[in-house]
Amino acid sequence: MRLLPVLLALTGLAAAHSAHAAEPPLALSFGDFFVQPAGPRGLEPTARLLAARGREVRLVGFMVQREQAQPGRFLLTPRPVSMAEHADGEADDLPAATVTVLLPPGQRDRVVAHQAGPLALSGRLEYGPAEDETGRVSWLRLHLAPDALATAPQSH
């Protein structure tokens, strides 16, 4: 596995990705995801979230600090969060609006080091249940562009 240093300019991902898009990314906030307050049927997606499915979006959030980063992905939330997978197991405190950020297929072996502070990311938004190889089900995924990390420095 390759480790991308903390110096990785994740905020530059938005510019690198949107340069190839036909139109500017749709700016979304985590508050745009679900109808508030939650009703008797639980969380319901907003019309804005449903309209953004499959589109290029720009989202500002915080990378979840994990005990062990996973190759090819990281989690983005509306507020800073730390996960203790070994101690807490499946009982994590992730907000419902957690987004799984997926690196392009050619970079799925890369591990992105935790970056403190808000990150502005752009990518194609996917909404709906999907189970990954670990068994975790995500409802929101942001697919980064193939060249999003191409210019980032690498270390082993």
Side-chain angles (χ1 to χ4, degrees), residues 62-127:
F62 295 85
M63 181 186 283
V64 173
Q65 186 169 9
R66 302 182 77 160
E67 287 178 328
Q68 283 193 321
Q70 292 183 326
R73 71 183 65 226
F74 60 90
L75 301 174
L76 196 71
T77 57
R79 60 182 168 78
V81 175
S82 295
M83 284 180 63
E85 296 97 331
H86 295 313
D88 298 337
E90 297 296 317
D92 60 48
D93 287 332
L94 293 176
T98 297
V99 175
T100 300
V101 178
L102 299 168
L103 303 184
Q107 299 175 27
R108 294 286 161 94
D109 63 336
R110 287 188 173 190
V111 175
V112 179
H114 179 260
Q115 175 74 38
L119 304 174
L121 301 175
S122 292
R124 183 178 51 81
L125 184 70
E126 185 179 7
Y127 172 73

Coordinates of all heavy atoms in Angstrom, one line a residue, residues 62-127:
F62 N -15.6 16.9 6.9 CA -14.4 16.6 7.6 C -14.1 15.1 7.4 O -15.0 14.2 7.5 CB -14.6 16.8 9.1 CG -14.8 18.3 9.5 CD1 -16.0 18.9 9.3 CD2 -13.7 19.0 9.9 CE1 -16.2 20.2 9.6 CE2 -13.9 20.4 10.2 CZ -15.1 21.0 10.0
M63 N -12.8 14.8 7.2 CA -12.4 13.4 7.1 C -12.5 12.7 8.5 O -12.0 13.2 9.5 CB -11.0 13.3 6.6 CG -10.5 11.9 6.4 SD -8.7 11.8 5.9 CE -8.9 12.2 4.2
V64 N -13.1 11.5 8.5 CA -13.2 10.8 9.8 C -11.8 10.2 10.1 O -11.1 9.7 9.2 CB -14.2 9.6 9.6 CG1 -14.2 8.7 10.8 CG2 -15.6 10.2 9.4
Q65 N -11.4 10.4 11.3 CA -10.1 9.9 11.8 C -10.4 8.5 12.3 O -11.2 8.2 13.2 CB -9.6 10.7 12.9 CG -8.2 10.3 13.3 CD -7.5 11.3 14.3 OE1 -8.1 12.2 14.7 NE2 -6.2 11.1 14.5
R66 N -9.7 7.5 11.6 CA -9.9 6.1 11.9 C -8.7 5.5 12.5 O -7.6 6.0 12.3 CB -10.3 5.3 10.6 CG -11.5 5.9 10.0 CD -11.9 5.1 8.8 NE -12.5 3.9 9.2 CZ -13.2 3.1 8.4 NH1 -13.4 3.4 7.2 NH2 -13.8 2.0 8.9
E67 N -8.8 4.4 13.3 CA -7.6 3.7 13.8 C -6.8 3.2 12.6 O -5.6 3.3 12.7 CB -8.1 2.6 14.7 CG -8.6 3.0 16.0 CD -9.1 1.9 16.9 OE1 -9.6 0.8 16.3 OE2 -9.0 2.0 18.1
Q68 N -7.4 2.6 11.7 CA -6.7 2.1 10.5 C -7.5 2.6 9.2 O -8.6 2.3 9.0 CB -6.7 0.6 10.5 CG -5.7 0.0 11.4 CD -5.5 -1.5 11.1 OE1 -6.5 -2.2 10.8 NE2 -4.3 -1.9 11.2
A69 N -6.8 3.4 8.5 CA -7.4 3.9 7.2 C -7.5 2.7 6.2 O -6.8 1.8 6.3 CB -6.4 5.0 6.6
Q70 N -8.6 2.8 5.4 CA -8.8 1.8 4.4 C -8.3 2.2 3.1 O -8.5 3.3 2.7 CB -10.3 1.5 4.4 CG -10.9 0.8 5.6 CD -12.4 0.5 5.4 OE1 -13.1 1.3 4.7 NE2 -12.8 -0.6 6.0
P71 N -7.7 1.3 2.4 CA -7.2 1.6 1.0 C -8.4 2.0 0.1 O -9.5 1.3 0.2 CB -6.5 0.4 0.5 CG -6.6 -0.6 1.6 CD -7.4 -0.1 2.7
G72 N -8.2 3.0 -0.7 CA -9.2 3.3 -1.7 C -10.4 4.1 -1.3 O -11.3 4.4 -2.1
R73 N -10.5 4.4 0.0 CA -11.7 5.1 0.5 C -11.4 5.8 1.8 O -10.5 5.5 2.5 CB -12.8 4.1 0.7 CG -12.6 3.2 1.8 CD -13.7 2.1 2.0 NE -13.7 1.3 0.8 CZ -14.8 0.9 0.1 NH1 -16.0 1.3 0.5 NH2 -14.7 0.2 -0.9
F74 N -12.2 6.8 2.1 CA -12.3 7.4 3.4 C -13.7 7.9 3.6 O -14.5 8.0 2.7 CB -11.2 8.4 3.6 CG -11.2 9.6 2.7 CD1 -11.9 10.8 3.0 CD2 -10.5 9.6 1.5 CE1 -11.9 11.9 2.1 CE2 -10.5 10.6 0.6 CZ -11.2 11.8 0.9
L75 N -14.0 8.3 4.9 CA -15.3 8.8 5.2 C -15.3 10.3 5.4 O -14.3 10.8 6.0 CB -15.8 8.1 6.5 CG -15.9 6.6 6.4 CD1 -16.3 6.0 7.7 CD2 -16.9 6.2 5.3
L76 N -16.3 11.0 5.0 CA -16.5 12.4 5.1 C -17.8 12.7 5.9 O -18.8 12.1 5.6 CB -16.5 13.1 3.8 CG -16.3 14.6 3.7 CD1 -14.8 14.9 4.0 CD2 -16.7 15.1 2.3
T77 N -17.7 13.6 6.9 CA -18.9 13.9 7.7 C -19.0 15.4 7.9 O -18.1 16.1 7.6 CB -18.7 13.2 9.1 OG1 -17.5 13.7 9.7 CG2 -18.7 11.7 9.1
P78 N -20.2 15.8 8.4 CA -20.4 17.3 8.6 C -19.7 17.9 9.7 O -19.6 19.1 9.9 CB -21.9 17.4 8.8 CG -22.4 16.0 9.2 CD -21.4 15.1 8.6
R79 N -19.1 17.0 10.6 CA -18.4 17.5 11.8 C -17.2 16.6 12.0 O -17.2 15.4 11.6 CB -19.3 17.6 13.0 CG -19.9 16.2 13.4 CD -20.8 16.3 14.6 NE -21.6 15.1 14.8 CZ -21.1 14.0 15.3 NH1 -19.9 13.9 15.7 NH2 -21.9 13.0 15.5
P80 N -16.2 17.0 12.7 CA -15.0 16.1 13.0 C -15.5 14.9 13.8 O -16.2 15.1 14.8 CB -14.1 17.0 13.8 CG -14.5 18.4 13.5 CD -15.9 18.4 13.2
V81 N -15.0 13.7 13.4 CA -15.4 12.5 14.1 C -14.2 11.6 14.1 O -13.4 11.5 13.2 CB -16.5 11.8 13.4 CG1 -16.8 10.4 14.0 CG2 -17.8 12.6 13.3
S82 N -14.0 10.9 15.3 CA -13.0 9.8 15.4 C -13.7 8.5 15.6 O -14.7 8.4 16.3 CB -12.0 10.1 16.5 OG -11.3 11.2 16.3
M83 N -13.2 7.5 14.9 CA -13.7 6.1 15.1 C -12.7 5.2 15.8 O -11.5 5.2 15.4 CB -14.1 5.5 13.7 CG -15.3 6.0 13.1 SD -15.6 5.2 11.5 CE -15.9 3.5 12.0
A84 N -13.2 4.4 16.7 CA -12.3 3.4 17.4 C -12.9 2.1 17.0 O -13.7 1.5 17.8 CB -12.3 3.6 18.9
E85 N -12.6 1.6 15.8 CA -13.2 0.3 15.3 C -13.0 -0.8 16.2 O -13.9 -1.7 16.4 CB -12.7 0.0 13.9 CG -13.0 1.0 12.9 CD -12.0 2.0 12.6 OE1 -11.2 2.3 13.5 OE2 -11.9 2.5 11.4
H86 N -11.7 -1.0 16.8 CA -11.4 -2.1 17.6 C -12.2 -2.1 18.9 O -12.7 -3.1 19.4 CB -10.0 -2.2 17.9 CG -9.1 -2.5 16.7 ND1 -9.5 -3.5 15.7 CD2 -8.0 -1.9 16.2 CE1 -8.6 -3.5 14.8 NE2 -7.7 -2.5 15.0
A87 N -12.3 -0.9 19.5 CA -13.0 -0.8 20.8 C -14.5 -0.8 20.6 O -15.3 -1.4 21.4 CB -12.6 0.5 21.5
D88 N -15.0 -0.1 19.6 CA -16.5 0.1 19.4 C -17.1 -0.9 18.5 O -18.3 -1.0 18.5 CB -16.8 1.5 19.0 CG -16.3 2.6 20.0 OD1 -16.2 2.2 21.2 OD2 -16.0 3.7 19.6
G89 N -16.3 -1.5 17.6 CA -16.9 -2.4 16.6 C -17.9 -1.7 15.7 O -17.7 -0.6 15.2
E90 N -19.1 -2.3 15.6 CA -20.2 -1.7 14.8 C -20.9 -0.5 15.4 O -21.7 0.1 14.8 CB -21.2 -2.8 14.4 CG -20.6 -4.0 13.6 CD -20.1 -3.5 12.3 OE1 -20.8 -2.7 11.6 OE2 -19.0 -3.9 11.9
A91 N -20.6 -0.3 16.7 CA -21.3 0.8 17.4 C -20.5 2.1 17.3 O -20.0 2.6 18.2 CB -21.4 0.4 18.9
D92 N -20.5 2.6 16.0 CA -19.8 3.9 15.8 C -20.8 5.0 16.0 O -22.0 4.9 16.0 CB -19.1 3.9 14.5 CG -20.0 3.7 13.3 OD1 -21.1 4.4 13.3 OD2 -19.7 2.9 12.4
D93 N -20.2 6.2 16.1 CA -21.0 7.4 16.2 C -21.1 8.3 15.0 O -21.2 9.5 15.0 CB -20.5 8.3 17.4 CG -20.7 7.7 18.7 OD1 -21.7 7.0 18.9 OD2 -19.9 8.0 19.7
L94 N -21.0 7.6 13.8 CA -21.1 8.4 12.6 C -22.4 9.0 12.3 O -23.5 8.4 12.6 CB -20.7 7.5 11.4 CG -19.3 6.9 11.4 CD1 -19.1 6.0 10.2 CD2 -18.3 8.1 11.3
P95 N -22.4 10.2 11.9 CA -23.7 10.9 11.5 C -24.4 10.1 10.4 O -23.7 9.5 9.6 CB -23.3 12.3 11.1 CG -21.9 12.5 11.6 CD -21.3 11.1 11.7
A96 N -25.7 10.2 10.3 CA -26.4 9.6 9.2 C -26.0 10.1 7.8 O -26.0 9.4 6.8 CB -27.9 9.8 9.4
A97 N -25.5 11.4 7.8 CA -25.1 12.0 6.5 C -23.7 11.7 6.2 O -23.0 12.4 5.5 CB -25.4 13.5 6.6
T98 N -23.1 10.6 6.7 CA -21.7 10.2 6.4 C -21.6 9.8 4.9 O -22.4 9.1 4.4 CB -21.2 9.1 7.3 OG1 -21.3 9.5 8.6 CG2 -19.8 8.6 6.9
V99 N -20.6 10.3 4.2 CA -20.3 10.1 2.8 C -19.1 9.2 2.7 O -18.0 9.5 3.3 CB -20.2 11.4 2.0 CG1 -19.8 11.1 0.6 CG2 -21.4 12.2 2.1
T100 N -19.1 8.1 2.0 CA -18.0 7.3 1.7 C -17.3 7.9 0.4 O -18.0 8.0 -0.6 CB -18.3 5.8 1.4 OG1 -18.9 5.3 2.6 CG2 -17.1 5.0 1.1
V101 N -16.1 8.4 0.5 CA -15.4 8.9 -0.6 C -14.5 7.8 -1.2 O -13.7 7.2 -0.5 CB -14.5 10.1 -0.1 CG1 -13.7 10.6 -1.3 CG2 -15.3 11.2 0.5
L102 N -14.8 7.5 -2.5 CA -14.1 6.4 -3.2 C -13.1 7.0 -4.2 O -13.4 7.8 -5.0 CB -15.2 5.6 -3.9 CG -16.2 5.0 -3.0 CD1 -17.3 4.4 -3.8 CD2 -15.6 3.9 -2.2
L103 N -11.9 6.5 -4.1 CA -10.8 6.8 -5.0 C -11.1 6.1 -6.3 O -11.8 5.1 -6.4 CB -9.5 6.4 -4.5 CG -9.0 7.0 -3.1 CD1 -7.6 6.6 -2.8 CD2 -9.2 8.5 -3.1
P104 N -10.6 6.6 -7.4 CA -10.8 6.0 -8.7 C -10.2 4.5 -8.7 O -9.3 4.2 -7.9 CB -10.0 6.8 -9.7 CG -9.7 8.1 -9.0 CD -9.7 7.8 -7.5
P105 N -10.8 3.6 -9.6 CA -10.4 2.2 -9.6 C -8.9 2.0 -9.6 O -8.3 1.1 -9.0 CB -11.1 1.7 -10.8 CG -12.3 2.5 -11.0 CD -11.8 3.9 -10.5
G106 N -8.1 2.8 -10.4 CA -6.7 2.7 -10.5 C -5.9 3.0 -9.3 O -4.7 2.8 -9.2
Q107 N -6.6 3.6 -8.3 CA -6.0 4.1 -7.0 C -6.6 3.4 -5.8 O -6.4 3.9 -4.7 CB -6.1 5.6 -6.9 CG -5.4 6.3 -8.1 CD -5.6 7.8 -8.0 OE1 -5.8 8.4 -7.0 NE2 -5.6 8.5 -9.2
R108 N -7.2 2.3 -6.0 CA -7.9 1.6 -4.9 C -7.0 1.0 -3.9 O -7.4 0.6 -2.8 CB -8.9 0.6 -5.4 CG -10.1 1.2 -6.2 CD -11.1 1.8 -5.3 NE -11.9 2.7 -5.9 CZ -13.1 2.4 -6.4 NH1 -13.6 1.2 -6.3 NH2 -13.9 3.4 -6.9
D109 N -5.6 0.9 -4.2 CA -4.7 0.4 -3.2 C -4.1 1.6 -2.4 O -3.3 1.3 -1.4 CB -3.6 -0.4 -3.9 CG -2.8 0.4 -4.8 OD1 -3.3 1.5 -5.3 OD2 -1.6 0.0 -5.1
R110 N -4.4 2.8 -2.7 CA -3.8 3.9 -2.0 C -4.6 4.2 -0.6 O -5.8 4.0 -0.5 CB -3.9 5.2 -2.8 CG -3.0 5.3 -3.9 CD -3.0 6.6 -4.6 NE -2.0 6.7 -5.6 CZ -1.7 7.8 -6.2 NH1 -2.3 8.9 -5.9 NH2 -0.7 7.8 -7.1
V111 N -3.8 4.6 0.3 CA -4.3 5.0 1.6 C -4.1 6.5 1.7 O -3.0 7.0 1.6 CB -3.7 4.3 2.8 CG1 -4.2 4.8 4.1 CG2 -3.9 2.8 2.7
V112 N -5.2 7.2 2.0 CA -5.1 8.7 2.2 C -5.0 9.0 3.7 O -5.8 8.5 4.5 CB -6.4 9.4 1.6 CG1 -6.3 10.9 1.8 CG2 -6.5 9.1 0.1
A113 N -3.9 9.7 4.0 CA -3.7 10.0 5.4 C -4.7 11.0 5.9 O -5.2 11.8 5.2 CB -2.3 10.6 5.6
H114 N -5.0 10.9 7.2 CA -6.0 11.8 7.8 C -5.6 13.2 7.6 O -4.5 13.6 7.8 CB -6.2 11.4 9.3 CG -7.3 12.3 9.9 ND1 -6.9 13.4 10.7 CD2 -8.6 12.3 9.8 CE1 -8.0 14.0 11.1 NE2 -9.0 13.4 10.6
Q115 N -6.6 14.0 7.3 CA -6.4 15.5 7.1 C -7.3 16.2 8.1 O -8.5 16.0 8.0 CB -6.7 15.9 5.6 CG -6.6 17.3 5.4 CD -5.2 17.8 5.3 OE1 -4.3 17.2 4.8 NE2 -5.0 19.0 5.8
A116 N -6.8 16.9 9.0 CA -7.6 17.7 9.9 C -8.2 18.9 9.2 O -7.6 19.4 8.3 CB -6.8 18.1 11.1
G117 N -9.3 19.4 9.7 CA -9.9 20.6 9.1 C -10.9 20.3 8.0 O -10.9 19.2 7.5
P118 N -11.6 21.3 7.6 CA -12.6 21.1 6.5 C -11.9 20.8 5.2 O -10.9 21.4 4.9 CB -13.4 22.3 6.5 CG -12.6 23.4 7.2 CD -11.7 22.6 8.1
L119 N -12.5 19.9 4.4 CA -12.1 19.5 3.1 C -13.2 19.9 2.0 O -14.3 19.6 2.3 CB -11.7 18.1 3.0 CG -10.7 17.5 4.0 CD1 -10.7 16.0 3.8 CD2 -9.4 18.1 3.8
A120 N -12.8 20.4 0.9 CA -13.7 20.7 -0.2 C -13.4 19.6 -1.2 O -12.3 19.6 -1.8 CB -13.5 22.1 -0.7
L121 N -14.4 18.8 -1.5 CA -14.2 17.7 -2.5 C -15.2 17.8 -3.6 O -16.4 18.1 -3.3 CB -14.3 16.3 -1.8 CG -13.3 16.1 -0.7 CD1 -13.6 14.7 0.0 CD2 -11.9 16.1 -1.2
S122 N -14.9 17.3 -4.8 CA -15.8 17.2 -5.8 C -15.8 15.8 -6.4 O -14.7 15.2 -6.5 CB -15.5 18.2 -7.0 OG -15.7 19.5 -6.5
G123 N -16.9 15.3 -6.8 CA -17.0 14.0 -7.4 C -18.5 13.7 -7.8 O -19.4 14.5 -7.6
R124 N -18.6 12.5 -8.4 CA -20.0 12.1 -8.8 C -20.7 11.5 -7.5 O -20.2 10.6 -6.9 CB -19.9 11.1 -9.9 CG -21.3 10.6 -10.4 CD -21.2 9.6 -11.6 NE -20.3 8.5 -11.3 CZ -20.6 7.5 -10.6 NH1 -21.8 7.3 -10.0 NH2 -19.7 6.5 -10.4
L125 N -21.9 12.0 -7.2 CA -22.6 11.5 -6.1 C -23.5 10.3 -6.4 O -24.1 10.3 -7.4 CB -23.5 12.7 -5.5 CG -24.3 12.4 -4.3 CD1 -23.3 12.3 -3.1 CD2 -25.3 13.4 -4.0
E126 N -23.4 9.4 -5.5 CA -24.2 8.2 -5.6 C -25.1 8.0 -4.3 O -24.5 8.2 -3.2 CB -23.3 7.0 -5.8 CG -24.1 5.7 -6.1 CD -23.1 4.5 -6.3 OE1 -21.9 4.7 -6.2 OE2 -23.6 3.4 -6.7
Y127 N -26.3 7.8 -4.5 CA -27.2 7.6 -3.3 C -28.0 6.3 -3.4 O -28.5 6.0 -4.4 CB -28.2 8.8 -3.2 CG -29.3 8.6 -2.1 CD1 -28.9 8.7 -0.8 CD2 -30.6 8.2 -2.5 CE1 -29.9 8.4 0.2 CE2 -31.5 8.0 -1.5 CZ -31.2 8.1 -0.1 OH -32.1 7.9 0.8

